[in-house]
Amino acid sequence: MISVYLREQKRYTQKELLKIFVCSEEKLDLIFSKLKEFGILKIVRKSSSQLNMSNLVDEYIEIVPVEAICKDCYYVFIFVGILIVAGRILKCYPKYLCSVDNPIKELRVVCKVIEKYSSKEQIIYMLNDYTGNSSFNLLAVLLFLMHDYFENGIYNNSKNILEVNGSGEVLWDKTINETFSILSNNRPYYIEMQTKKRVNDDFDYFKRLHECILTLISKELMEADLLSLFELTPIDLTDEYLYEFGDREYILYRIENELNIEFNTRKQLVLKGIYAYIKHGGQLDYRDGISFFGTNSFNLVWECVCSEILNNQLDIPLGQLRLPVPLNKEYNSQTKLINLIEKPFWSIFEKEAKETLIPDLITIFKNQFYIFDAKYYTPNLKHGESPKGQPGIESISKQYLYQLAYKKFIDTHGFEGVKNCFLLPTEDDTIICLGEVSMKIFSNLGLENIKVRCIPANIAYDYYLLGKKLDINMLKLNNKDCYNR
């Protein structure tokens, strides 16, 4: 299998991809078709403006249909993670990594972050229809079975063992009816006690099958050079081959019967994972399929990371917040910060709309009110040059409106100050201050200008994975003319 690195949202030409994938145009068309099915690949017309765009915004660009693929197009991968298609392993790394071509260390951490972000949803999605064909994702199944083994061990079924004078439960009926007793003072004494205990069955069919499958997928992931990427230890549990358990239909039949009598949730998930692996052939290099681990919405991952490390308090009841003064009687202590933003009122219906402005995260720290917006952008902001790839007018306007929406609450509770800030990822090792963005139409209303800070992604991910909080003072939001790039 051919393994390659691709940068998210980079503009690739057909010639470049033919060289990267080491394939013919026909094979490349097959790969394009599969990736477009899952919204992973966008094809846009070649232009200088497209080449300079750091973000792909569907509303403002022309998407070329797959039938119109040509040499005068750019190919853009909207995905972060691992893709396996047509015998190619595509390692797609985030767009903010600009100075490295083989970011194995960075991608290893990114995969951990994605796994933590989507662990519950992924297991449910992966095995909700383990017998179906429409959305089967082999790589996700392999990773689930590996992680489950390291967390819970091998699949086990127990059996009852009858013993004489054993350490288990005494079977009195069997002891009385099947053994001899000695009478003493009209009391019976039994020399041999019939006992019962439950032990794990080392020769159980499904235990052995689980060991065989784990050994197989470990070898397959190792050959695909993915074990090290996911920081998994090789597994070698048995020398048995899969064919020794019967043909495919027989194995699936046995698993179905076991599922009908097994009600333990973890064991059911393992059985479904094994079933899916066997039913779909279990080959990562299967030419007509596609497997993936990752997301085509990494912006949501970045939002989640920032929300966690900066202690988002949007969903905290007002009565539990550390306010500068006691909560005003005008406010209900059970109301949450997110519910304080006014909803549009439509007079013709005499009802409020269900949706309104929702900030990414709000933090109250040392009598300061912080409004953050996690922006997954890679802007080009240099002195004397027109800005490129920066958050647009809609994002700027909304950020001002968030402060306006909370102005009454802020004034009522005597906050010492308000800070409004965009948070962007960077591959650098230190927090970068990119000044601020302002609009007089809002500044004249007494609203704070919006600070722009780039947070080192590696630091943010470390805090996120460890469950730690970032010190807000590190953002240097009190510096008015901060620019260090």
Side-chain angles (χ1 to χ4, degrees):
M1 297 180 71
I2 297 173
S3 179
V4 300
Y5 283 93
L6 296 167
R7 182 168 169 251
E8 177 201 19
Q9 297 214 17
K10 178 179 177 179
R11 274 58 172 165
Y12 291 95
T13 64
Q14 184 191 53
K15 184 178 180 180
E16 288 174 325
L17 292 178
L18 284 171
K19 183 178 180 181
I20 291 172
F21 291 161
V22 192
C23 67
S24 63
E25 290 188 12
E26 291 76 15
K27 174 59 72 67
L28 193 62
D29 289 345
L30 171 64
I31 295 174
F32 287 164
S33 178
K34 287 292 180 183
L35 296 179
K36 281 185 67 67
E37 277 185 45
F38 289 85
I40 291 168
L41 181 72
K42 300 293 184 183
I43 305 170
V44 299
R45 299 203 181 279
K46 188 179 292 186
S47 67
S48 58
S49 61
Q50 262 300 322
L51 184 61
N52 293 327
M53 288 178 65
S54 63
N55 296 284
L56 194 66
V57 184
D58 290 353
E59 294 89 328
Y60 304 122
I61 64 174
E62 183 177 10
I63 303 294
V64 179
V66 69
E67 296 81 7
I69 293 177
C70 62
K71 296 180 180 179
D72 294 325
C73 298
Y74 285 126
Y75 302 89
V76 189
F77 293 85
I78 313 299
F79 187 82
V80 174
I82 309 302
L83 291 161
I84 302 177
V85 57
R88 271 70 181 167
I89 302 175
L90 314 183
K91 300 174 181 177
C92 303
Y93 57 92
K95 62 185 180 183
Y96 56 80
L97 295 173
C98 304
S99 62
V100 289
D101 295 323
N102 301 303
I104 180 66
K105 293 181 180 179
E106 293 84 353
L107 190 55
R108 186 178 294 144
V109 176
V110 166
C111 287
K112 285 184 179 180
V113 171
I114 294 174
E115 184 178 3
K116 179 176 180 179
Y117 170 78
S118 61
S119 57
K120 293 182 180 179
E121 293 81 359
Q122 188 160 4
I123 291 175
I124 295 171
Y125 172 76
M126 177 184 68
L127 297 176
N128 62 348
D129 182 18
Y130 65 97
T131 61
N133 297 302
S134 58
S135 59
F136 177 69
N137 183 0
L138 177 59
L139 180 58
V141 172
L142 301 191
L143 293 174
F144 163 72
L145 289 172
M146 293 283 286
H147 285 301
D148 172 81
Y149 168 72
F150 288 122
E151 183 176 348
N152 301 305
I154 204 68
Y155 187 100
N156 269 311
N157 276 329
S158 59
K159 61 181 180 180
N160 292 326
I161 299 293
L162 298 181
E163 297 179 308
V164 175
N165 295 331
S167 59
E169 174 190 356
V170 176
L171 300 174
W172 284 109
D173 286 343
K174 194 173 184 63
T175 298
I176 293 171
N177 294 326
E178 298 182 12
T179 63
F180 293 100
S181 62
I182 298 176
L183 294 175
S184 176
N185 296 326
N186 293 324
R187 294 184 63 183
Y189 292 87
Y190 294 91
I191 299 175
E192 293 184 346
M193 309 286 286
Q194 299 291 319
T195 60
K196 177 183 72 173
K197 69 177 180 180
R198 295 186 66 83
V199 297
N200 290 330
D201 184 359
D202 291 335
F203 299 99
D204 177 70
Y205 180 87
F206 299 102
K207 174 184 180 295
R208 292 167 42 238
L209 179 62
H210 191 203
E211 291 173 337
C212 179
I213 296 297
L214 286 170
T215 303
L216 285 174
I217 65 179
S218 175
K219 291 179 180 177
E220 191 165 2
L221 289 172
M222 182 182 296
E223 291 172 359
D225 195 28
L226 293 178
L227 276 185
S228 60
L229 182 63
F230 291 104
E231 295 187 327
L232 294 172
T233 304
I235 300 173
D236 188 4
L237 300 173
T238 180
D239 293 327
E240 288 190 276
Y241 294 97
L242 190 58
Y243 68 80
E244 297 179 47
F245 294 85
D247 60 27
R248 188 176 73 162
E249 296 305 319
Y250 175 75
I251 298 174
L252 297 179
Y253 169 76
R254 289 288 302 267
I255 296 175
E256 288 172 359
N257 287 342
E258 181 77 357
L259 279 167
N260 289 333
I261 60 174
E262 180 56 67
F263 301 102
N264 179 280
T265 302
R266 180 258 167 170
K267 294 174 75 173
Q268 280 194 339
L269 287 174
V270 171
L271 289 171
K272 289 179 179 180
I274 295 174
Y275 188 102
Y277 174 85
I278 295 173
K279 180 178 176 61
H280 294 278
Q283 294 296 321
L284 281 174
D285 61 351
Y286 179 56
R287 300 303 190 213
D288 296 329
I290 180 171
S291 292
F292 53 89
F293 175 90
T295 176
N296 53 9
S297 300
F298 197 73
N299 61 302
L300 300 180
V301 179
W302 178 245
E303 289 176 12
C304 178
V305 169
C306 291
S307 179
E308 289 289 328
I309 67 174
L310 286 168
N311 192 27
N312 184 18
Q313 299 175 20
L314 270 175
D315 289 315
I316 304 296
L318 300 181
Q320 298 179 21
L321 296 175
R322 292 186 177 182
L323 304 175
V325 298
L327 182 67
N328 191 283
K329 294 180 180 180
E330 179 182 351
Y331 296 91
N332 188 320
S333 62
Q334 298 304 311
T335 301
K336 300 177 181 179
L337 272 175
I338 196 171
N339 301 128
L340 293 184
I341 298 181
E342 182 183 1
K343 296 179 179 179
F345 182 83
W346 293 85
S347 62
I348 191 170
F349 302 115
E350 294 187 353
K351 287 185 178 180
E352 287 184 339
K354 292 183 178 180
E355 297 181 356
T356 186
L357 295 169
I358 301 178
D360 279 357
L361 64 120
I362 288 179
T363 297
I364 295 172
F365 180 71
K366 292 185 177 179
N367 296 341
Q368 297 275 349
F369 196 91
Y370 295 91
I371 307 171
F372 293 110
D373 195 10
K375 288 296 182 187
Y376 187 56
Y377 285 75
T378 53
N380 182 18
L381 302 176
K382 296 182 180 179
H383 286 295
E385 295 185 12
S386 297
K388 296 177 183 178
Q390 77 281 7
I393 184 66
E394 180 182 353
S395 298
I396 296 169
S397 301
K398 285 168 63 177
Q399 200 65 15
Y400 273 116
L401 290 175
Y402 295 147
Q403 183 184 347
L404 190 60
Y406 284 106
K407 191 175 188 306
K408 179 182 177 183
F409 178 81
I410 293 170
D411 293 342
T412 301
H413 294 94
F415 283 92
E416 295 177 3
V418 180
K419 294 294 182 289
N420 222 328
C421 183
F422 287 142
L423 302 172
L424 288 64
T426 178
E427 63 181 335
D428 292 336
D429 293 326
T430 57
I431 292 176
I432 297 173
C433 174
L434 293 180
E436 60 184 30
V437 58
S438 62
M439 293 182 67
K440 289 185 178 180
I441 190 175
F442 294 110
S443 300
N444 292 339
L445 296 176
L447 302 179
E448 291 289 323
N449 294 335
I450 304 166
K451 313 289 184 180
V452 184
R453 298 292 184 269
C454 292
I455 300 179
N458 62 329
I459 293 177
Y461 298 154
D462 286 345
Y463 276 69
Y464 176 68
L465 294 172
L466 294 172
K468 296 170 60 178
K469 305 303 179 187
L470 185 73
D471 183 358
I472 291 181
N473 292 325
M474 294 173 62
L475 299 176
K476 299 180 180 179
L477 297 179
N478 292 318
N479 294 13
K480 294 184 178 180
D481 300 316
C482 174
Y483 188 92
N484 59 358
R485 189 172 195 176

